[in-house]
Amino acid sequence: MFRGSSSINLDAKGRLAMPSRYREELIERCDGQLVITIDLADPCLCIYPLPDWERIEAQLSQMPSLRPETRQLNRLLIGSAVDLELDSSGRLLIPARLREQAGLTKQVMLVGQLNKFQLCDEDKWNELLTRDLQDIKNPDHLPEELMNLVL
């Protein structure tokens, strides 16, 4: 599982150096094969190890294809998905189109989200974090199943 966050500089070509703490697990888990796509909820990108992404694709393929919501979801997630591979230096090339869609600048945050990573512009990430911290202070905001969570 991926957890924690790292502030990273994208280089001039849009490459991201994967933090060393994740590299070994990514090599072991998916031989450095990843998929990146847009995030449907936040102004970020999502990076999945290939096996985890393939499970999502399998779920999407089972959805009724004539439903407009299914087609929309496929257009957004599958249509934006790009295969990535860790290079010999542990870097990923983030496609320019996706960098632009997510508003990524030089300084980004790579955030572990259990089975995937979120990749966000650092300023946008800080705004999201501030908003989330404010929201979480209001217990009426949380669904019942989270109110019963033991931390």
Side-chain angles (χ1 to χ4, degrees):
M1 294 294 166
F2 306 113
R3 59 183 163 273
S5 58
S6 302
S7 178
I8 301 172
N9 287 323
L10 292 179
D11 70 12
K13 294 180 181 179
R15 290 178 299 200
L16 170 139
M18 183 60 70
S20 58
R21 66 182 177 183
Y22 302 123
R23 287 183 201 166
E24 187 175 318
E25 182 176 353
L26 289 170
I27 295 297
E28 189 175 298
R29 190 169 170 177
C30 61
D31 200 29
Q33 302 294 308
L34 303 147
V35 174
I36 189 168
T37 191
I38 61 172
D39 187 309
L40 297 176
D42 294 321
C44 304
L45 300 174
C46 292
I47 302 172
Y48 294 86
L50 183 58
D52 292 274
W53 177 253
E54 288 172 336
R55 282 191 285 280
I56 292 168
E57 285 181 327
Q59 291 175 24
L60 289 170
S61 73
Q62 297 302 310
M63 296 174 67
S65 62
L66 294 179
R67 294 194 60 179
E69 300 86 357
T70 300
R71 291 194 311 275
Q72 181 183 46
L73 195 58
N74 283 335
R75 274 193 305 273
L76 292 170
L77 287 179
I78 306 297
S80 297
V82 176
D83 293 303
L84 300 178
E85 185 174 358
L86 281 175
D87 69 13
S88 59
S89 299
R91 296 175 301 190
L92 298 171
L93 177 61
I94 309 303
R97 176 179 54 86
L98 291 177
R99 288 194 318 264
E100 186 178 310
Q101 265 186 313
L104 300 183
T105 58
K106 184 175 175 71
Q107 196 67 32
V108 297
M109 291 296 292
L110 183 72
V111 183
Q113 298 289 301
L114 302 176
N115 68 325
K116 68 180 185 251
F117 296 98
Q118 266 189 320
L119 183 64
C120 302
D121 177 76
E122 187 171 39
D123 290 337
K124 288 181 187 172
W125 172 253
N126 288 329
E127 289 172 19
L128 286 170
L129 191 58
T130 299
R131 183 196 68 204
D132 290 346
L133 286 169
Q134 291 300 317
D135 287 350
I136 203 82
K137 290 178 184 178
N138 178 3
D140 296 332
H141 178 74
L142 295 176
E144 185 65 32
E145 59 270 13
L146 290 181
M147 292 300 292
N148 296 321
L149 186 64
V150 177
L151 296 175

